[in-house]
Amino acid sequence: MRANIIGTGSYAPPRVLKNQELERIVDTSDDWITSRTGIKERRIADNETTNDIATKAAKSAIKAAGVSPKDIDLIVAGTVTPEMLFPSTACFVQANIGANRGIPAFDVSAACSGFLYALDVADKYIRSGISKKALVIGVDIFSNIIDWKDRNTCVLFGDGAGAVVLSAEKGKSGILSTHIHADGHYWKMLYTPLGVASSPFHNKPAEKSYLKMQGNEIFKIAVRTMGAACQEALDSNGLKAEDISLLIPHQANMRIISATAERLGLPEEKVYINLDRYGNTSAGSIPLALDEAVKKGLIKRNDIILFVAFGGGLTWASAMVRW
Ligand code: UT7
């Protein structure tokens, strides 16, 4: 049994925040942001929440799959910016789309690798025969956790959501492999201290919950781990870089993506890029890019698609799919 992606969907809030607008908020320039990151604009959720945008992406994936919400028997969402500490985003989506009561629904926390972590879990439920149709979501609203006075971070991120419906099917197509990794020793490179430690029994006051990042260090580790994760996916499937039809990498920084593609020897037309329009949408990034690539007709049957991500944790992950 393999997990086939039978429908994709995505949603990005309509409010566009261009680099020029950021020039009025912090000491930065369109030129700096474009040359150092490749980002020109990003979307910002003003009146929408994580549950709202996850639900929109989920509904469009279910519609594209041509199934009913009642067919879904598992919901896994990757997010680190849930609307509430609990219930999970997946539980809210379950109720919002009218999925059956009683099916498992939960979130996984792996920052920008969140979608691939969620995909890994759902794939294992399908391979083991427990799930027949799974809804997998990647969603984040980083505009809520960014320090809008910190030019080192506020120019990088945006808000967005994407989703896929997986169906258990026999045959050669579907998810060929997933690999997920973490190294908690590096946690300080990218984190957001949520202010939960505020009880009167706690002698350490809660920190402000802004995202903190060591950009330079992350950059180097990202290039190394993304390259290694791609190679691991190729090796475990007995494939070579030239077999890849399309690489859909986590959209963090154009220079990280180019270095990854260069290591693999992949030409740029085989790499899907949309970070110029969305910035880094964390767990939303890969499913948002996948949905765009599908809608543009860039993916055809039997194509080999490679997904690769890295993020806070640190975490990194890959998935190889035969479409
Ligand atoms: O999904 C994972 C999330 N994290 C990431 O993807 C982060 C990965 N890292 C990066 O993408 C890059 O390291 C950054 C884009 C964050 C930074 O690029 P960089 O080429 O590593 O620049 P830098 O940090 O070495 O900074 C160079 C200069 C500094 O000034 P000085 O010290 O040389 O005078 C910074 O203060 O650029 C300055 N700078 C800025 N200038 C204008 C930093 N941010 C900005 C800014 N506008 N927004």
Side-chain angles (χ1 to χ4, degrees):
M1 237 2 134
R2 282 231 168 92
N4 275 251
I5 298 176
I6 59 163
T8 65
S10 63
Y11 180 80
R15 161 83 158 96
V16 176
L17 179 65
K18 290 184 184 292
N19 290 349
Q20 287 79 3
E21 211 176 321
L22 279 168
E23 288 176 352
R24 298 198 286 275
I25 301 175
V26 286
D27 180 16
T28 191
S29 65
D30 173 40
D31 194 43
W32 191 96
I33 303 170
T34 306
S35 61
R36 299 288 180 123
T37 72
I39 300 164
K40 299 294 289 179
E41 60 187 46
R42 67 287 293 141
R43 304 296 185 87
I44 301 293
D46 32 27
N47 288 315
E48 291 174 298
T49 69
T50 300
N51 295 335
D52 295 334
I53 71 171
T55 299
K56 285 183 175 160
K59 281 184 175 167
S60 79
I62 288 169
K63 190 167 175 223
V67 299
S68 154
K70 302 284 179 210
D71 296 325
I72 302 294
D73 57 15
L74 168 71
I75 303 176
V76 191
T79 188
V80 285
T81 50
E83 187 170 333
M84 298 186 193
L85 210 48
F86 66 88
S88 68
T89 306
C91 284
F92 279 105
V93 171
Q94 176 191 16
N96 290 347
I97 64 174
N100 284 335
R101 291 164 192 257
I103 64 165
F106 55 91
D107 292 358
V108 295
S109 169
C112 303
S113 310
F115 175 73
L116 294 186
Y117 263 64
L119 196 70
D120 172 84
V121 172
D123 180 52
K124 287 179 168 57
Y125 268 76
I126 285 186
R127 280 175 189 261
S128 63
I130 298 170
S131 168
K132 299 274 176 284
K133 294 238 172 349
L135 174 65
V136 182
I137 302 163
V139 57
D140 270 310
I141 297 192
F142 266 39
S143 61
N144 285 336
I145 57 167
I146 291 296
D147 179 356
W148 287 97
K149 294 191 182 79
D150 176 15
R151 69 175 184 175
N152 292 296
T153 52
C154 76
V155 303
L156 302 175
F157 298 95
D159 304 334
V164 300
V165 176
L166 300 180
S167 176
E169 282 163 26
K170 288 205 170 95
K172 285 191 168 169
S173 64
I175 297 177
L176 304 179
S177 68
T178 55
H179 291 92
I180 61 172
H181 300 283
D183 187 344
H185 295 96
Y186 287 131
W187 72 269
K188 275 200 171 161
M189 290 196 176
L190 183 55
Y191 68 102
T192 303
L194 188 70
V196 286
S198 58
S199 90
F201 307 105
H202 220 281
N203 53 17
K204 189 171 159 255
E207 279 185 71
K208 268 260 184 217
S209 49
Y210 290 134
L211 177 143
K212 299 184 185 357
M213 185 181 79
Q214 297 170 14
N216 262 311
E217 295 310 311
I218 293 251
F219 189 98
K220 284 179 237 156
I221 296 175
V223 170
R224 202 171 66 230
T225 52
M226 297 259 279
C230 289
Q231 200 54 54
E232 182 181 41
L234 287 170
D235 292 346
S236 77
N237 291 292
L239 295 172
K240 299 220 160 359
E242 53 263 35
D243 298 319
I244 299 171
S245 314
L246 193 64
L247 172 69
I248 303 187
H250 170 50
Q251 310 279 314
N253 184 314
M254 194 56 217
R255 291 184 293 144
I256 296 173
I257 295 173
S258 299
T260 306
E262 215 168 281
R263 274 184 173 211
L264 286 172
L266 271 191
E268 59 183 59
E269 62 272 16
K270 284 195 167 187
V271 185
Y272 193 79
I273 308 284
N274 67 1
L275 96 160
D276 51 325
R277 287 174 288 121
Y278 297 106
N280 180 348
T281 55
S282 184
S285 150
I286 286 180
L288 193 59
L290 169 65
D291 188 42
E292 277 196 0
V294 167
K295 299 220 158 93
K296 285 182 179 170
L298 298 178
I299 302 179
K300 47 186 197 313
R301 203 164 165 71
N302 260 323
D303 274 357
I304 297 288
I305 314 298
L306 176 58
F307 303 98
V308 65
F310 73 96
L314 290 182
T315 57
W316 61 103
S318 74
M320 182 82 93
V321 175
R322 185 186 300 279
W323 205 257

